Amino acid sequence: MNRLLASLSALPLLVGSVQALAQESEADVRARETEQQMTDDERFSLLISVLGTVEGGALPPDPRVAHLENPSAGWTPGIPRLGIPDLQSSDASMGVTNPGYRPDDEGATAFPASIVVGASFNPELAREGGVAIAREARIRGFNIMLAGGMNLARDVRNGRNFEYYGEDPLLSAVLASEQVNGIQSQQVVSTLKHYTLNANETNRHWLDAIIDPAEHRESDLLAFQIAIERSEPGAIMTGYNKINGEYAGGNRHLLNEVLKGAWGYRGYVMSDWGATPEWQFALHGLDQESGAQADKFLWGSEPFTEPLRQAHAQGKLPKERLSDMVRRILRSAYAVGIDKWGPAPTVDTAKHDEIALDIARQGIVLLKNEAALPLATDEPLKIAVVGGHAQQGVISGTGSGAVAPVGGFVSVTEIGGAGLMGKHRKLFLFQPSPVDELRKAFPSAQIDFDPGYTPAEAALTARRADVVIAFGIRVEGEGFDLPDLSLPWGQDAVIDAVAAANPNTIVVLQTGNPVSMPWRDKVRAIVQAWYPGQAGSRAIAEVLAGKVNPSGRTPITWPMSLADTPRPTLAGLGTPWGTPITIRYDEGAEVGYRWYAKKDVKPLYAFGHGLSYTRFSYDDLKISAGAAAGAKADVPAGGETVTASFTVTNTGDREGADVPQLYLTAAPNEKRMRLLGFERVVLKPGESRQLTFTVDPRLLARFDGKANQWRIAEGAYRIALGKSAGDLLLTESTKLEGGLFGK
Ligand code: BGC
């Protein structure tokens, strides 16, 4: 690139920094002053992280990390003379990970997967989990958590959906931002990731994700925009994929124009590990290359330091841009306070186990219940527990986010597969086991376990029982999409056989995504436990026994079949690792339930669906429209807003939690569905609560790509209150004046 082009591409940044100067925070001032004192060597050294482990496998270790007491995912040397600490990053969203390179580490709390937090619809839990994770990070010296995974679940085959919060932008943003707030409250920087449209794992390094740019703003990008506003994450991690032809880490439009330009993001942008094939990404908005050896291995590219140094010497990397990269990293360090650590915090593992348990209790979803649950705890029931290694433990998703629990896994079985992540794909089992926890929850019952080894053998056990609890598991993970919606290892046939042998069958699933459940009409109850973490067995037993009243709501739509989803066939699935592929996200902003509403297709279980052992009613829905004042954190200034108030009442005879959901169902001349608000409320029998939601105007708007602003169309808007996207109970309409606002 010649000098002119280089300076042109830096232009939006310079404009951005001129504006920023006018409103510098204390962290900005410190970052600017420190950067001014740095030598170029010091500057360049901050612009990469290397793998923070001495066991690189295919990736050669960096000798400088040999001294680290606690190896991690990424390490950047600090600059002691300027008080800048080493930057040490670790995964992340479900607890502090240890993929085997810290043999003396006794394990961390293995929290439930993020999809479980998604199903809880409870931002407080996301925050509590974030605080706990950050404290466990700090005692190991990790000051950056690669957390806040928040890609939207666009495809129920995506192997990594369990690491995210579901398919809705608002829900994902609210939960991810609370996790980040929790982490950063402990003086640990958190990322939000993977920016953006990293919605499938198939050949992810060679995947070009195609989307209409305006619709992108209304979906995945809106999720990031809201989450960034609510939590000011220190860093944004880019995805592996391309978006509309340009790699995420070098995507000028998404980084310079949208993230740093339109949204004014002040933190730094780091790449994913092995997602920086060329140094020019620095000109397009990337501030730090991560795990540099992975780039060398995958792309043959030299770590950022040398090529950037040369580019700088040749005038291809402007001084302003170099300073900007460094200042962004420093600014985040100062804003979050990683340079001000006092003594290490105390970690109360029992308390963290309680948090893990609470997340599982609130995120388990009762999908179906034909008066089968809860099971009586005081009767001498003969219970047959079938399959899913339920005599050993509950399972986890796999990949960089998998957490080794305190005391270790009860068993680990290699599964394997193609690509760099194949060796990380394992059947991990956390103790205690569901069978042990069921024995505690049902002390009067006789519990027999059958491994579900063959359908015929399982049916023999099922026939002898009063009730069958069949477990279905599917290991999903980073680097792998699912080819279909079936359960592996013949489990669908086993469940079918036990349901035929004993109609009083309850199924408990541990999967990261919806599955097809060909046996679903033959069983009396279905409990979706996702990947419920180290306390998962107890939460499952408590739900089955009615000690916990289920309140989880599915954050992903369950399709009747793949034929009903936006991509019945997944492009590139089955091509060998390393093949360039293109996946078109032609559903645009109509992700998940939005798609089913637009196409008028009824899913198997709608987004937001989840049953309870009590009942709730909604009354007095009142809607009003007005100018968005920006007075509340969740409603930015500009545009118009809608305020909805209503009463929710527990009309059953048990205490329980409900999640009333407010949706837009029609806009002028357009059928359009958007989740506008939600709140989880705990109510005693007979208790009522009045709730008021004030809507983010962007959820009422469309993004006008020409004006580069949000636009509310003038006219009537239909708003509905419901139990899920498929169960709307009260509807009102209101008029909006319309107009352009925001960016
Ligand atoms: C994942 C990231 C993770 C990084 C570091 C990558 O494989 O995509 O989410 O943070 O590894 O472990």
Side-chain angles (χ1 to χ4, degrees):
M1 190 186 288
N2 64 32
R3 190 184 289 256
L4 177 68
L5 274 179
S7 44
L8 278 183
S9 65
L11 201 58
L13 263 172
L14 301 183
V15 174
S17 41
V18 170
Q19 283 164 353
L21 225 88
Q23 21 169 317
E24 274 187 326
S25 67
E26 196 193 319
D28 288 309
V29 175
R30 280 189 69 200
R32 181 163 50 75
E33 289 175 355
T34 309
E35 188 273 332
Q36 280 165 350
Q37 297 171 48
M38 287 166 77
T39 64
D40 273 353
D41 281 348
E42 288 167 339
R43 291 192 177 95
F44 286 114
S45 81
L46 272 189
L47 303 184
I48 67 164
S49 71
V50 294
L51 291 170
T53 163
V54 282
E55 284 179 30
L59 312 172
D62 186 307
R64 292 173 304 161
V65 304
H67 73 284
L68 294 179
E69 203 173 313
N70 281 311
S72 61
W75 174 77
T76 301
I79 305 171
R81 77 172 185 98
L82 297 172
I84 302 168
D86 285 13
L87 305 179
Q88 241 199 303
S89 63
S90 166
D91 291 292
S93 294
M94 298 166 288
V96 180
T97 61
N98 177 9
Y101 45 51
R102 289 198 306 278
D104 299 331
D105 190 326
E106 282 170 3
T109 306
F111 291 93
S114 299
I115 194 76
V116 187
V117 181
S120 79
F121 278 66
N122 186 348
E124 272 168 45
L125 279 184
R127 190 186 171 93
E128 276 181 46
V131 169
I133 289 169
R135 292 174 83 89
E136 296 194 16
R138 273 193 61 170
I139 59 169
R140 294 167 169 87
F142 303 152
N143 50 18
I144 299 172
M145 287 308 276
L146 309 169
M150 58 172 297
N151 295 86
L152 298 187
R154 286 180 171 268
D155 193 319
V156 289
R157 287 161 297 207
N158 179 22
R160 261 187 124 170
N161 280 344
F162 74 95
E163 288 193 61
Y164 310 138
Y165 296 100
E167 66 193 24
D168 180 68
L170 176 68
L171 177 68
S172 302
V174 168
L175 297 174
S177 58
E178 280 312 297
Q179 185 186 54
V180 172
N181 284 329
I183 292 172
Q184 296 198 157
S185 74
Q186 302 303 303
Q187 298 177 304
V188 174
V189 163
S190 179
T191 56
L192 283 174
K193 70 185 188 185
H194 309 86
Y195 187 79
T196 156
L197 213 61
N198 191 172
N200 283 96
E201 287 296 293
T202 301
N203 269 311
R204 58 186 180 167
H205 295 87
W206 298 273
L207 187 167
D208 191 4
I210 306 294
I211 192 164
D212 174 88
E215 302 223 16
H216 195 191
R217 289 295 306 266
E218 295 170 26
S219 51
D220 309 61
L221 287 173
L222 179 58
F224 273 99
Q225 185 177 11
I226 296 175
I228 290 169
E229 288 164 0
R230 285 174 172 246
S231 62
E232 296 187 32
I236 298 291
M237 188 196 297
T238 56
Y240 281 118
N241 50 299
K242 296 179 183 171
I243 300 104
N244 294 336
E246 274 192 14
Y247 272 113
N251 196 303
R252 271 174 275 234
H253 170 62
L254 293 176
L255 299 178
N256 280 346
E257 290 171 20
V258 177
L259 177 69
K260 295 178 176 177
W263 302 346
Y265 176 65
R266 303 253 187 104
Y268 68 105
V269 176
M270 65 163 81
S271 65
D272 201 340
W273 274 237
T276 314
E278 55 185 48
W279 71 264
Q280 286 87 343
F281 282 17
L283 300 176
H284 304 168
L286 185 66
D287 299 306
Q288 193 187 54
E289 177 195 22
S290 306
Q293 297 98 314
D295 288 314
K296 177 91 180 153
F297 175 80
L298 272 162
W299 312 108
S301 54
E302 289 307 318
F304 248 26
T305 326
E306 265 318 300
L308 286 188
R309 204 191 289 271
Q310 281 169 29
H312 184 49
Q314 294 161 8
K316 293 179 189 161
L317 175 72
K319 163 86 182 82
E320 292 78 5
R321 175 63 187 130
L322 174 60
S323 296
D324 178 57
M325 294 166 85
V326 172
R327 288 181 194 183
R328 283 174 176 275
I329 297 167
L330 294 177
R331 180 200 192 271
S332 291
Y334 296 148
V336 176
I338 67 172
D339 61 321
K340 294 213 180 76
W341 279 12
T346 50
V347 167
D348 181 343
T349 42
K351 182 175 160 211
H352 290 188
D353 188 59
E354 274 298 313
I355 296 171
L357 177 62
D358 258 348
I359 298 173
R361 283 171 171 159
Q362 295 186 31
I364 290 176
V365 182
L366 180 59
L367 289 172
K368 167 176 175 169
N369 188 16
E370 286 173 355
L373 291 175
L375 292 169
T377 50
D378 53 357
E379 286 174 22
L381 286 178
K382 275 193 262 167
I383 302 178
V385 176
V386 175
H389 298 272
Q391 85 287 24
Q392 281 186 294
V394 288
I395 71 165
S396 151
T398 68
S400 57
V403 178
V406 178
F409 296 105
V410 64
S411 108
V412 178
T413 308
E414 306 277 337
I415 298 174
L420 271 182
M421 297 312 291
K423 69 176 172 115
H424 297 289
R425 201 175 180 213
K426 297 171 184 172
L427 172 64
F428 292 120
L429 286 160
F430 297 121
Q431 54 193 357
S433 73
V435 168
D436 285 346
E437 290 299 319
L438 286 167
R439 290 209 164 106
K440 283 190 212 152
F442 296 93
S444 314
Q446 176 195 319
I447 298 185
D448 289 333
F449 175 72
D450 179 282
Y453 187 52
T454 67
E457 194 179 290
L460 294 177
T461 314
R463 212 163 280 139
R464 294 198 304 266
D466 298 320
V467 54
V468 180
I469 304 174
F471 281 79
I473 60 174
R474 185 171 69 178
V475 175
E476 301 171 27
E478 184 178 340
F480 300 91
D481 284 332
L482 288 315
D484 61 26
L485 305 184
S486 64
L487 292 175
W489 300 315
Q491 294 173 90
D492 280 323
V494 170
I495 297 175
D496 200 83
V498 299
N502 188 336
N504 198 18
T505 291
I506 293 156
V507 175
V508 178
L509 293 170
Q510 293 161 54
T511 66
N513 267 297
V515 285
S516 56
M517 307 183 291
W519 33 260
R520 61 187 184 254
D521 293 335
K522 298 185 186 159
V523 304
R524 287 187 59 202
I526 304 173
V527 174
Q528 172 62 2
W530 314 102
Y531 300 138
Q534 67 178 35
S537 295
R538 181 159 155 207
I540 291 169
E542 288 177 343
V543 164
L544 298 179
K547 190 167 171 220
V548 163
N549 190 349
S551 62
R553 305 288 187 257
T554 179
I556 308 188
T557 307
W558 291 57
M560 291 279 189
S561 83
L562 279 175
D564 290 345
T565 69
R567 276 166 300 287
T569 312
L570 182 58
L573 193 73
T575 50
W577 197 70
T579 311
I581 62 167
T582 299
I583 300 184
R584 300 192 61 88
Y585 295 97
D586 286 338
E587 74 276 25
E590 307 310 313
V591 183
Y593 65 90
R594 297 173 166 190
W595 166 262
Y596 293 88
K598 185 157 184 159
K599 295 282 165 187
D600 232 342
V601 170
K602 202 172 149 25
L604 181 55
Y605 296 117
F607 169 86
H609 166 78
L611 303 172
S612 165
Y613 299 149
T614 186
R615 295 181 307 278
F616 299 94
S617 71
Y618 303 154
D619 298 286
D620 302 329
L621 174 64
K622 292 194 184 65
I623 303 282
S624 62
K632 282 183 62 183
D634 51 351
V635 183
E640 284 168 283
T641 185
V642 165
T643 302
S645 67
F646 57 93
T647 307
V648 48
T649 307
N650 181 346
T651 57
D653 53 12
R654 277 173 189 255
E655 179 172 315
D658 189 31
V659 185
Q661 299 155 41
L662 190 75
Y663 290 92
L664 170 70
T665 57
N669 308 318
E670 198 189 1
K671 185 171 179 182
R672 193 199 312 162
M673 190 139 190
R674 299 283 185 269
L675 178 69
L676 301 178
F678 62 88
E679 190 170 331
R680 182 181 190 276
V681 280
V682 180
L683 297 171
K684 296 203 164 50
E687 190 183 351
S688 290
R689 183 89 43 88
Q690 213 208 9
L691 298 179
T692 302
F693 296 160
T694 305
V695 175
D696 187 317
R698 290 166 293 196
L699 295 165
L700 302 163
R702 301 229 67 153
F703 192 77
D704 182 330
K706 284 215 182 81
N708 246 322
Q709 284 201 282
W710 295 92
R711 182 189 292 281
I712 289 184
E714 183 191 347
Y717 286 73
R718 206 164 63 222
I719 312 281
L721 180 66
K723 291 183 175 296
S724 74
D727 189 6
L728 303 172
L729 300 175
L730 302 174
T731 303
E732 289 290 330
S733 285
T734 189
K735 284 221 165 64
L736 296 180
E737 288 171 13
L740 285 169
F741 67 97
K743 285 197 275 191

